[in-house]
Amino acid sequence: MADYNEKFYLVRSDILPEAMKKTIDAKELLERGKVESIFDAVQQVDLSRSAFYKYRDAVFPFQAMVKEQMITLFFHLEDRAGTLSNLLQTVADSGCNVLTIHQTIPLQGKANVTLSLNTTGLSGTIEQLLQKLHKLDFVDRVEILSSGA
């Protein structure tokens, strides 16, 4: 799960460790349906499964990151009047469009909320949005659950 202070870097492929490059290759084989399992993918690119699992959520081809327009965020919130409304207003003010909302029944004064957002119109970066959301006084925790198109 991502930390709201997480940073991303654009790095030339020729300086990446071989295991990272092979992880990207294995992920591409899986996405394109060229192999049936992770085991088959790592075997085909000559990579250990442990290296694949270590890097699979951390390395992406540049084109995949450019296409990303959807993100799913998890929130742990204080249960009080107007909390969800204020959260949604902050998201809207950032230029994101809410695709889905799921809120659990509050227990012991806390509720979990999951938002899927289209970030096409995002003003600023995802990191800036996460920092803004985390600063809201009723937000105990915010995490990225998934991102992708």
Side-chain angles (χ1 to χ4, degrees), residues 80-99:
R80 52 183 159 148
T83 295
L84 185 59
S85 175
N86 289 335
L87 177 68
L88 295 174
Q89 187 62 55
T90 302
V91 167
D93 290 345
S94 73
C96 292
N97 182 33
V98 176
L99 302 172

Side-chain angles (χ1 to χ4, degrees), residues 2-62:
D3 180 355
Y4 69 94
N5 286 322
E6 191 172 58
K7 293 182 181 181
F8 294 87
Y9 300 93
L10 183 61
V11 180
R12 239 181 29 240
S13 66
D14 63 325
I15 67 167
L16 286 176
E18 205 58 35
M20 287 184 177
K21 290 188 233 180
K22 288 180 177 184
T23 299
I24 291 171
D25 292 342
K27 287 172 57 173
E28 184 176 336
L29 289 171
L30 288 162
E31 288 171 12
R32 294 178 59 210
K34 299 292 184 183
V35 292
E36 293 185 19
S37 67
I38 290 172
F39 176 80
D40 294 336
V42 297
Q43 195 170 34
Q44 190 165 329
V45 299
D46 190 30
L47 178 69
S48 71
R49 284 191 313 157
S50 63
F52 176 81
Y53 286 114
K54 178 179 181 180
Y55 295 122
R56 75 174 176 176
D57 295 327
V59 294
F60 307 94
F62 179 69

Side-chain angles (χ1 to χ4, degrees), residues 57-92:
D57 295 327
V59 294
F60 307 94
F62 179 69
Q63 295 82 358
M65 295 302 288
V66 170
K67 291 178 189 172
E68 272 191 25
Q69 296 181 355
M70 193 173 89
I71 189 168
T72 303
L73 301 177
F74 169 83
F75 297 87
H76 191 67
L77 307 174
E78 292 180 22
D79 178 40
R80 52 183 159 148
T83 295
L84 185 59
S85 175
N86 289 335
L87 177 68
L88 295 174
Q89 187 62 55
T90 302
V91 167

